[in-house]
Amino acid sequence: MSDPIRLVLVDDQALFRAGVAVVVDAQPDMAVVGQAGDGREALEVVERTRPDVVLMDLRMPVMDGVEATRALFDPTRVQARTQPLRVVVLTTFHLDDAAASAIRAGASGFLLKDATPEFLCAAIRTVHAGNAVMTPGDLTALLDRPAPARPVPPAYERLTDRERTVFVHAGRGLSNAEIAAAEHLSESTVKTHVSSVLAKLGLRDRVQLVVFAHEHGLLA
């Protein structure tokens, strides 16, 4: 059996953390390795325990979830890691600005705090596998708000014409199957193109690809 998914829970409500811990620790493939009551404490706990996934509340004292997420994905911290770190933010409000900021800072998705235990566990497994824990429509809705486009990095010029086409489709939230149908390609070919795009642009996952596309105005 593979090693369990290691989690850190970050929330200023101890009772909420305790409830989530009971649910997570009851799963044979998961284990809570640390808890924190605010973002600053979370940075210390993550550094000490080296989890795979962090469940991060957005609204906390001392340091909120957005700032903590941004700090966790500081390039210096990222380079020092020997394995990927995934962050899922927890919020009471659907599609709010704080969730959008956390996604831009590096989170792989968000969950409402009233999610069922089954949905929570499924989301943890999904994000641990490198996928988003939100629908493409929700992700697009979060990011599709007026904002000045940033200059396009030189790395984008390294994409082939086919890779750029796949990039635009993925940036709009299409799945591999939908891209394959639109471009008359096999799903395995699309997957290869997406992997190449992520590598060339230095992006961790498809969530960050969508963020990149929106922030650089590449979907017009």
Side-chain angles (χ1 to χ4, degrees):
M1 185 176 178
S2 59
D3 293 335
I5 302 170
R6 296 164 54 84
L7 286 104
V8 163
L9 310 179
V10 186
D11 194 288
D12 61 332
Q13 297 180 23
L15 186 59
F16 179 81
R17 293 201 312 270
V20 173
V22 169
V23 170
V24 170
D25 282 334
Q27 308 304 308
D29 58 340
M30 300 179 194
V32 174
V33 297
Q35 298 187 33
D38 61 65
R40 185 174 299 169
E41 183 183 3
L43 300 182
E44 300 171 0
V45 173
V46 168
E47 182 72 21
R48 184 175 69 252
T49 61
R50 304 292 181 180
D52 301 304
V53 177
V54 177
L55 296 182
M56 179 83 72
D57 188 24
L58 281 177
R59 292 167 177 82
M60 298 179 292
V62 183
M63 177 186 286
D64 65 26
V66 174
E67 289 305 313
T69 299
R70 186 172 291 116
L72 287 174
F73 289 107
D74 177 89
T76 302
R77 282 192 168 94
V78 172
Q79 292 172 7
R81 293 188 187 114
T82 58
Q83 62 187 30
L85 175 68
R86 311 291 184 186
V87 172
V88 179
V89 293
L90 303 172
T91 179
T92 309
F93 307 100
H94 189 58
L95 301 181
D96 67 356
D97 289 337
S101 296
I103 295 296
R104 288 191 171 95
S108 293
F110 73 90
L111 287 174
L112 295 178
K113 297 183 80 170
D114 61 357
T116 65
E118 294 79 11
F119 190 87
L120 170 67
C121 293
I124 291 169
R125 295 184 182 101
T126 296
V127 74
H128 181 250
N131 299 309
V133 289
M134 57 195 302
T135 68
D138 281 349
L139 184 55
T140 299
L142 272 177
L143 301 174
D144 195 16
R145 302 178 183 189
R150 298 180 182 178
V152 179
Y156 182 75
E157 302 302 323
R158 295 170 51 205
L159 301 185
T160 66
D161 289 342
R162 176 64 77 182
E163 287 171 346
R164 290 190 190 187
T165 299
V166 170
F167 169 89
V168 170
H169 284 312
R172 289 173 175 157
L174 272 65
S175 67
N176 286 352
E178 291 169 330
I179 297 172
E183 296 299 322
H184 307 289
L185 300 170
S186 69
E187 286 190 49
S188 61
T189 297
V190 172
K191 184 177 180 180
T192 298
H193 284 315
V194 171
S195 296
S196 179
V197 169
L198 294 176
K200 287 182 178 180
L201 298 181
L203 304 174
R204 290 186 305 279
D205 51 35
R206 292 175 77 114
V207 176
Q208 295 308 304
L209 185 155
V210 175
V211 173
F212 182 99
H214 279 265
E215 290 192 339
H216 295 96
L218 295 170
L219 299 180

